[in-house]
Amino acid sequence: MSSTVRRAQNTPAMDIRVDSLTFGVREPCDVYIFVNHKRFIIRVSPSPDFPDSVEARYTKRLDAAQEANDFAEQYRILVEIEQLVLITVNDTPQIKPGDISLPSYRSRILNVTVFRKDLPVFYPSEIIVIAKLRSTRILKVLVEGQLMCCKLAEARHPDLIQELQALQEILQFGLGPSIRIPRLRGFIRSEDESGLIGFLTNHIETDPSNVTIGSLRGRVHTIDKSRRYKWASQTEHVIKALREIKVIWGDAKADNLLIDSHDDVWLIDLGGGRTHGWVSEELQDSKEGDLQGLQLIREFLKLLLGVLTLSTKAEPQRERAPTFIRALRVRFLLNLEPWRLAMD
């Protein structure tokens, strides 16, 4: 199957600017805009038929920020909404980018020769940047009306190639939804067709107050223990699934565990490497390193180490001795006379 590649169609230039916004708790957000000097009102209002739509996500976040009197978060959300100026093209709702656009990164090409042909390929001109996430190369973007996470190549990018290979293997093995790792959704090709410059995964909507497990530093003890046990169990479950398909997490640490809006943990950053204090240098990019990181994550969550179901290597299966012989061994170890067996 060939790759699906789309070119953004050339559209006439428009003079578009946002004039003002009005909003209220559990009310729609109205965006007043000027298009070619004519005033329009765009209403951002969720539909009950599409609870996971872009509009629903923004209004839910805006309601939460207002109820918490978090004016800084309200401002951040409104800035994002401003960047999503709605226009109509052929009777189909489309999103037109504001001032932020995806750079072409023409000189930063991923040295990848093998990639899945059943996933779409996009150009930077088709991608709208919503916000910067962890760095200028990890972005929250809008692609064909869907929120996604975009990762772009830098001058040196072995970690990005390793992560891309891991994500393709996860797709190949068809891991279920309980394995919470962002899934590969597509690739990004440079505008000059010189090669791939990045890839897209599904975006994980995080809890604004607890973005990652690492963000709980200094207040872990205030989190209910049942939640902490759940997060540790979910992390162990994902690592175990990765081990079964021979994929290494690598940079195992609390900051690479997202907490989503449903209070579930997602494992991110499969690019390998390590962070000092989490994985030893000699265990970098190994199964043992993942296990070491998991133990430290449990300690970070202030949980008893307990007994993990993972092991660093499979134990060989030994043939079990007959019951009578096993009983003899136990009796001799306890320094009991073997003839006492007849009396048991």
Side-chain angles (χ1 to χ4, degrees), residues 108-168:
R108 301 173 182 178
I109 304 300
L110 280 170
N111 297 319
V112 177
T113 57
V114 178
F115 61 94
R116 292 180 67 100
K117 306 298 184 181
D118 58 339
L119 292 177
V121 178
F122 298 91
Y123 293 95
S125 57
E126 299 176 283
I127 299 172
I128 301 166
V129 178
I130 304 300
K132 181 177 71 174
L133 295 177
R134 294 191 159 197
S135 69
T136 55
R137 74 181 185 95
I138 304 178
L139 307 165
K140 179 181 179 180
V141 299
L142 196 69
V143 184
E144 295 188 336
Q146 297 293 320
L147 286 174
M148 295 189 188
C149 176
C150 164
K151 287 198 172 185
L152 296 170
E154 290 183 314
R156 299 176 63 184
H157 48 256
D159 60 328
L160 206 64
I161 295 176
Q162 182 172 332
E163 180 166 19
L164 181 55
Q165 292 171 340
L167 291 173
Q168 292 189 98

Side-chain angles (χ1 to χ4, degrees), residues 41-191:
I41 301 176
I42 305 299
R43 172 155 290 182
V44 181
S45 179
S47 167
D49 296 328
F50 301 98
D52 295 324
S53 65
V54 174
E55 294 91 342
R57 294 192 188 103
Y58 275 108
T59 53
K60 182 179 180 180
R61 287 177 56 199
L62 195 54
D63 286 347
Q66 291 177 86
E67 290 174 345
N69 290 323
D70 188 341
F71 298 106
E73 177 66 8
Q74 290 179 43
Y75 175 78
R76 284 192 291 268
I77 297 169
L78 292 175
V79 169
E80 291 183 23
I81 291 176
E82 282 188 11
Q83 295 164 359
L84 300 178
V85 182
L86 193 64
I87 64 174
T88 300
V89 179
N90 295 328
D91 297 325
T92 303
Q94 300 288 329
I95 299 295
K96 181 178 177 61
D99 296 332
I100 302 179
S101 59
L102 189 68
S104 62
Y105 284 75
R106 292 179 181 177
S107 61
R108 301 173 182 178
I109 304 300
L110 280 170
N111 297 319
V112 177
T113 57
V114 178
F115 61 94
R116 292 180 67 100
K117 306 298 184 181
D118 58 339
L119 292 177
V121 178
F122 298 91
Y123 293 95
S125 57
E126 299 176 283
I127 299 172
I128 301 166
V129 178
I130 304 300
K132 181 177 71 174
L133 295 177
R134 294 191 159 197
S135 69
T136 55
R137 74 181 185 95
I138 304 178
L139 307 165
K140 179 181 179 180
V141 299
L142 196 69
V143 184
E144 295 188 336
Q146 297 293 320
L147 286 174
M148 295 189 188
C149 176
C150 164
K151 287 198 172 185
L152 296 170
E154 290 183 314
R156 299 176 63 184
H157 48 256
D159 60 328
L160 206 64
I161 295 176
Q162 182 172 332
E163 180 166 19
L164 181 55
Q165 292 171 340
L167 291 173
Q168 292 189 98
E169 289 182 29
I170 289 170
L171 274 186
Q172 178 182 345
F173 283 93
L175 298 184
S178 67
I179 310 303
R180 294 183 179 86
I181 297 174
R183 298 301 197 265
L184 188 63
R185 295 297 184 225
F187 304 97
I188 306 170
R189 190 191 299 279
S190 62
E191 296 285 355

Side-chain angles (χ1 to χ4, degrees), residues 230-272:
K230 182 186 76 171
W231 294 336
S233 176
Q234 289 177 337
T235 304
E236 182 178 338
H237 178 58
V238 174
I239 293 177
K240 184 176 181 180
L242 291 180
R243 289 165 65 89
E244 291 175 352
I245 63 172
K246 296 180 171 50
V247 170
I248 302 298
W249 182 11
D251 196 8
K253 60 180 180 180
D255 288 313
N256 281 339
L257 292 171
L258 297 181
I259 305 173
D260 71 11
S261 55
H262 300 290
D263 203 43
D264 292 317
V265 161
W266 290 72
L267 188 151
I268 62 171
D269 193 358
L270 299 174

